[in-house]
Amino acid sequence: IEHVLAGHPGVARAAVVVREDQKGEQRLVAYVAPDPDAAVADAEAQVDEWRQVYDEGYADSAEVAWGEDFHGWRSVYDGEPIPVGQMREWRDAAVAQVLRFAPRRVLEVGVGSGLLLSRIVGEVEEYWGTDISATVVDRLRAQTEQAGYGDRVRLGAQAAHDVTGLPRNAFDTVVLNSVVQYFPSAAYLDRVLGELMELLTPGGRLIVGDVRNAATLRLLTTAERRVAQPHASRGELRALVEQALLVERELVVAPEWFAEWAADHCAAADIRLKEGREHNELTRHRYEVVLHKRPADVRDLAAVPATAWGRDVSGLAELGAVADRAGDGPLRVTGIPNARLVEEAAAASAAGVLTTDAPRGRPVDPQDLADWARRQGRDAVLTWSAEAVHCFDAVLLPAPGNVGQGFLPGGSAGRSLTNAPSLAKSLGPLLAELPEYLRGRLPDYMVPAAMVPLSEIPLNAAGKLDRRALPAEHTTTVGSREPRNSHEETLCAHFGELLGLERVGIDDDFFVLGGHSLLATRLSARIRKEFGLEVPLRTIIQYPTVAELAALVLIGGIPDDHGGSFEVVLPLNRDPGTGKPPVWFFHGGGGLGWAYFTFAPYLQDRPAYALQSRGSDGIDPPAGSVQEMVDDYLAEILRIQPEGPFHLVGWSYGGPLAHAVAVALDQRGHRVGLVAVLDSQPATTRPESGFKQVSGRTPDLYRADVEEIFGQFMNTGNMDSFLATMSKVGANNLNRMGDFESPVYRGDLLYFNAKLDKTEEIPSWGPDWRPHVLGSIEEYEVDATHHDLHMPEPAGQIMRVIAGKLAQ
């Protein structure tokens, strides 16, 4: 099973184990690490997404003083704004990084609100800046002119990869500060770096600041999840971390990536820890890169003599003595435990998220070591250690100077050096596709009962699967952002409670998560109670994510609302614009097509509509006969879709309706591509027929059935008008079908049998259709009862077959 899973182009590695469920029954569980390279990144779309975010953010901070706009900088640990004092320390360190090279002509890509520009422009001859946000560029242009720097500042609104209008071989310094994390992929980063190096003069440098470190991402994510879920068990925390890693929407890059890039492009890479006294995610989990363009006056530190912290030296006083013995030569100290990270590393190790050895020697704050070196008259180059993610190396030099390859790559074999931000969107479809992929290659009993996504498959020291590090199956979802305001938090909670999920993100689709029409009705009621806003079922289908619904709540209404959920033709999805013919679903006995909302997510490439009974709105009179319904629905179908092929699906009462409409279309010379009947008998006036036996049903009797079904999902006490209308329509439908005889169809029929409530005497109603179908009858078994066919699992079984037929 692992071998077949690993053969899927979207899977990097897989592990399959046997686990026991709560009942003690054994089941197969597959752990899948998606292949980041298989996730297709839409660079233009992501750049546009960030452009919108920043346009809005900068508009909110328009009145902030020049060079002081720290709007939007929030701690990942608690969501609170990072204190202004810490942000100023961060900015001043970034400015010092640029000014230490005494630049004359500077280009800053992602200039933003001018945090760096405001402190550097007075020290240079020219300062060019670009940014994706036209809003902030216009504002910054006015501010620089007002400050008297209009003659030396040139600004443009353009994306990082767009070098239009920027002179080649013209800048001694190009700056990308706190921008890389918003790039859509490592390939995009590679492209941008290549373009910007061409703009540098020989010997110039490209400063890539504030890079998020992929090597420490597990530490950061564990710390973040511990704050968010303080009572989570060890296994739950591990699962939460794995989920968060998979849906990380920002680009994170390991230092080794820049070292390799520099080697491939004949550049020199100086990679260092961030300076700063404060301990926050900026100093712990970000770093600085300077790429020197050849020929550059830099010193290679790769071959510097080394001494090991905790073995050869254990403190700063002892280090001073060792440095003195080295004389005027450089000295590397390896494996120094980073006081900024040791606590997070221990927590990640305890949770089983990361395998780390205990620190060797006493932890040191990198800033303490840097300050100590200055007092000794030395320069300290502080970079990441190849020994462990929570350690650093220090190269002590007799005097400051430009260096290249102070960082020594190592220990990255088998570890991805970057993530794939686009994976968040492709993960859901991949997990949905894998079971069917396996069924096409293995017997059904070998298809795992659950697919658990992991960022990587845990291995032990011997390179074998580490079963103890596998998280328990987790009922959370993947691929979505956290709530951004109280409205989104409330809606996420309602989604989670209704769907039985521990976590729901703001991009998660209610129906893709397993929601169905009855649960959607409960969601509508909760929104009405919580926010005082009417959000009918149609609106939930049109805006099925938390983010969309929260936006409607915030503006207090539904834009461009064209009617409710009781129209004769009910759209089940949004037309994707492919031009493919739609699928038409026919209502059940109650007259409404809401149950088909669970089917629609399987039709991503074409429109889907449900036909509903006249009178469901409580205004129009119900149909006088089944033939009247057939003629009515035929006219509605042809109004929207004048030409075939026509694809028709009917469940229960809708089965004979779909069949009769297919006959009518065929008789008018239209091509019918598919007719599917879901667990239904044909209509006949014979006394023993199913529909004939239930004819004569009164609205009161029908209402009792409806209340029993709806009562499983919601309180029906405040639904009198709705239930009365549905009962009136439903009783009329059953009585009319008792007088109808299903015609003979010349084409083929797909039949789906709900096998769980059939008997040995009548295992299926499929054979009953033979007198009414001249073509083939292809039957499929569904693991459900008749009334549960709209639930997520049986709906998926049915729609995978139908989608396959449509694809043919």
Side-chain angles (χ1 to χ4, degrees):
I1 302 171
E2 292 174 356
H3 176 74
V4 174
L5 277 171
H8 188 283
V11 176
R13 296 193 67 172
V16 179
V17 299
V18 177
R19 290 202 181 277
E20 286 191 358
D21 60 20
Q22 294 179 343
K23 299 179 181 179
E25 297 177 355
Q26 291 187 329
R27 53 198 239 131
L28 290 171
V29 177
Y31 292 87
V32 178
D35 185 354
D37 295 333
V40 179
D42 188 340
E44 295 294 336
Q46 186 156 337
V47 168
D48 285 340
E49 182 179 327
W50 286 117
R51 179 184 290 113
Q52 294 173 18
V53 169
Y54 276 95
D55 279 346
E56 295 172 4
Y58 288 130
D60 292 340
S61 61
E63 304 303 320
V64 179
W66 184 37
E68 293 292 325
D69 184 4
F70 300 111
H71 177 81
W73 288 88
R74 293 183 175 272
S75 169
V76 300
Y77 298 110
D78 58 14
E80 295 297 316
I82 298 176
V84 172
Q86 295 184 23
M87 289 308 308
R88 286 177 177 153
E89 180 188 63
W90 169 88
R91 177 200 57 201
D92 294 345
V95 169
Q97 171 80 306
V98 177
L99 292 180
R100 74 184 176 96
F101 296 104
R104 308 314 308 158
R105 301 189 75 200
V106 176
L107 164 66
E108 184 180 359
V109 176
V111 67
S113 62
L115 288 173
L116 273 59
L117 180 152
S118 63
R119 298 300 193 273
I120 297 173
V121 64
E123 308 295 328
V124 300
E125 297 172 4
E126 292 184 28
Y127 201 107
W128 294 51
T130 66
D131 199 277
I132 58 172
S133 172
T135 299
V136 78
V137 167
D138 291 341
R139 185 176 100 192
L140 190 57
R141 185 178 289 116
Q143 290 174 328
T144 54
E145 290 177 357
Q146 185 178 2
Y149 295 114
D151 59 335
R152 71 177 75 177
V153 175
R154 298 185 63 174
L155 301 171
Q158 56 203 78
H161 68 273
D162 183 1
V163 294
T164 305
L166 302 175
R168 295 168 65 90
N169 300 310
F171 301 100
D172 54 58
T173 304
V174 176
V175 181
L176 271 170
N177 189 64
S178 204
V179 172
V180 166
Q181 62 263 37
Y182 305 119
F183 287 179
S185 66
Y188 184 87
L189 172 60
D190 173 58
R191 173 186 174 187
V192 170
L193 295 182
E195 295 277 10
L196 297 182
M197 289 293 277
E198 293 297 318
L199 306 182
L200 283 170
T201 58
R205 80 282 315 168
L206 173 55
I207 300 175
V208 189
D210 219 36
V211 181
R212 292 193 61 195
N213 192 352
T216 67
L217 184 59
R218 283 181 169 269
L219 305 187
L220 174 62
T221 306
T222 303
E224 181 185 0
R225 293 293 91 197
R226 285 177 69 205
V227 172
Q229 301 285 343
H231 304 296
S233 67
R234 185 174 185 268
E236 289 170 340
L237 181 59
R238 195 160 66 245
L240 287 167
V241 170
E242 288 297 334
Q243 172 194 326
L245 293 172
L246 284 168
V247 300
E248 174 60 60
R249 299 294 294 272
E250 292 186 4
L251 182 66
V252 294
V253 187
E256 287 89 348
W257 189 92
F258 284 100
E260 293 179 5
W261 192 93
D264 292 341
H265 293 79
C266 297
D270 181 4
I271 300 171
R272 303 195 188 194
L273 275 62
K274 290 188 72 72
E275 289 196 17
R277 176 61 56 189
E278 298 291 344
H279 288 197
N280 52 37
E281 65 261 37
L282 304 179
T283 57
R284 290 169 178 153
H285 300 285
R286 303 195 184 197
Y287 61 96
E288 306 290 303
V289 180
V290 180
L291 298 171
H292 295 273
K293 184 175 180 177
R294 305 282 189 185
D297 182 18
V298 296
R299 187 172 185 177
D300 191 337
L301 304 180
V304 169
T307 186
W309 185 270
R311 186 189 65 194
D312 304 325
V313 60
S314 57
L316 294 181
E318 190 175 347
L319 177 59
V322 174
D324 289 341
R325 288 196 296 272
D328 293 334
L331 173 70
R332 178 184 294 273
V333 186
T334 62
I336 307 171
N338 188 338
R340 298 170 177 171
L341 291 174
V342 288
E343 183 179 339
E344 290 186 3
S349 180
V353 172
L354 188 72
T355 302
T356 60
D357 295 328
R360 190 177 61 197
R362 189 164 58 250
V364 178
D365 187 316
Q367 195 61 46
D368 286 343
L369 197 151
D371 293 343
W372 171 86
R374 291 190 186 100
R375 292 195 298 270
Q376 299 287 319
R378 298 176 180 272
D379 183 38
V381 176
L382 308 182
T383 189
W384 297 98
S385 173
E387 293 187 16
V389 296
H390 58 293
C391 293
F392 68 100
D393 287 1
V395 182
L396 301 179
L397 301 174
N402 296 339
V403 303
Q405 201 172 331
F407 169 73
L408 298 179
S412 63
R415 176 166 59 86
S416 178
L417 300 183
T418 67
N419 69 327
S422 57
L423 187 62
K425 291 185 177 180
S426 63
L427 184 59
L430 172 64
L431 295 177
E433 178 185 339
L434 287 178
E436 194 62 32
Y437 174 82
L438 289 177
R439 288 188 185 95
R441 293 159 177 80
L442 296 172
D444 281 348
Y445 71 87
M446 295 181 71
V447 177
M451 295 281 176
V452 181
L454 299 177
S455 59
E456 59 185 34
I457 301 297
L459 305 177
N460 58 26
K464 303 294 185 180
L465 175 67
D466 186 354
R467 292 175 59 92
R468 292 178 299 177
L470 290 172
E473 295 172 61
H474 213 247
T475 55
T476 56
T477 59
V478 293
S480 190
R481 295 170 292 166
E482 297 288 338
R484 300 165 296 186
N485 54 53
S486 61
H487 290 76
E488 290 181 347
E489 288 175 354
T490 300
L491 286 169
C492 281
H494 288 320
F495 271 45
E497 289 172 15
L498 291 172
L499 299 169
L501 300 174
E502 294 181 15
R503 177 192 175 275
V504 172
I506 65 172
D507 302 308
D508 288 326
D509 184 301
F510 185 81
F511 297 98
V512 173
L513 293 180
H516 49 76
S517 58
L518 299 179
L519 288 176
T521 305
R522 290 184 65 189
L523 177 61
S524 176
R526 289 192 177 199
I527 294 173
R528 181 173 60 251
K529 180 179 179 181
E530 186 81 32
F531 303 107
L533 182 67
E534 290 292 338
V535 179
L537 189 60
R538 172 190 174 93
T539 302
I540 295 176
I541 301 311
Q542 193 173 0
Y543 306 99
T545 68
V546 168
E548 292 171 316
L549 288 173
L552 298 183
V553 170
L554 285 168
I555 65 176
I558 290 80
D560 195 27
D561 190 11
H562 300 297
S565 303
F566 303 100
E567 300 291 335
V568 174
V569 176
L570 176 69
L572 299 172
N573 61 8
R574 301 179 214 182
D575 188 340
T578 60
K580 294 183 179 181
V583 175
W584 296 91
F585 294 87
F586 290 79
H587 64 78
L592 296 174
W594 301 357
Y596 293 117
F597 286 132
T598 345
F599 294 61
Y602 295 89
L603 299 170
Q604 300 287 336
D605 62 339
R606 64 183 71 231
Y609 300 95
L611 292 155
Q612 305 191 117
S613 290
R614 296 279 179 189
S616 294
D617 58 1
I619 300 173
D620 295 335
S625 68
V626 172
Q627 190 58 51
E628 184 180 317
M629 293 183 210
V630 171
D631 295 340
D632 185 12
Y633 301 156
L634 182 63
E636 292 289 348
I637 290 172
L638 293 175
R639 179 175 59 83
I640 294 175
Q641 183 192 352
E643 301 294 336
F646 295 91
H647 309 303
L648 315 175
V649 180
W651 169 28
S652 190
Y653 188 92
L657 285 179
H659 172 266
V661 170
V663 172
L665 286 166
D666 181 53
Q667 290 173 346
R668 287 164 175 76
H670 293 289
R671 179 184 163 208
V672 179
L674 178 145
V675 181
V677 172
L678 315 185
D679 206 52
S680 178
Q681 296 173 280
T684 173
T685 56
R686 295 195 302 272
E688 68 274 12
S689 71
F691 287 110
K692 190 66 177 177
Q693 290 181 16
V694 295
S695 64
R697 198 84 155 190
T698 65
D700 287 342
L701 289 172
Y702 194 88
R703 176 164 177 162
D705 294 338
V706 172
E707 287 187 349
E708 181 181 350
I709 295 173
F710 273 71
Q712 300 174 38
F713 299 94
M714 67 195 74
N715 178 12
T716 58
N718 59 352
M719 301 172 62
D720 186 73
S721 177
F722 167 77
L723 292 173
T725 299
M726 187 175 184
S727 301
K728 178 181 177 182
V729 170
N732 179 74
N733 284 343
L734 293 181
N735 291 331
R736 300 306 177 211
M737 190 63 79
D739 298 328
F740 184 68
E741 186 81 31
S742 287
V744 177
Y745 175 50
R746 298 191 304 169
D748 302 327
L749 183 78
L750 290 180
Y751 186 80
F752 293 86
N753 179 46
K755 67 179 184 179
L756 296 188
D757 55 3
K758 297 302 184 293
T759 64
E760 291 185 8
E761 294 77 14
I762 306 178
S764 170
W765 294 323
D768 294 353
W769 284 94
R770 175 43 64 200
H772 305 275
V773 177
L774 295 182
S776 65
I777 298 178
E778 194 173 335
E779 183 166 336
Y780 294 87
E781 298 286 300
V782 183
D783 299 321
T785 64
H786 176 83
H787 290 293
D788 288 340
L789 287 179
H790 68 305
M791 293 299 175
E793 288 193 17
Q797 284 183 266
I798 294 166
M799 289 308 298
R800 280 189 285 268
V801 174
I802 290 177
K805 296 292 183 181
L806 294 174
Q808 294 174 9

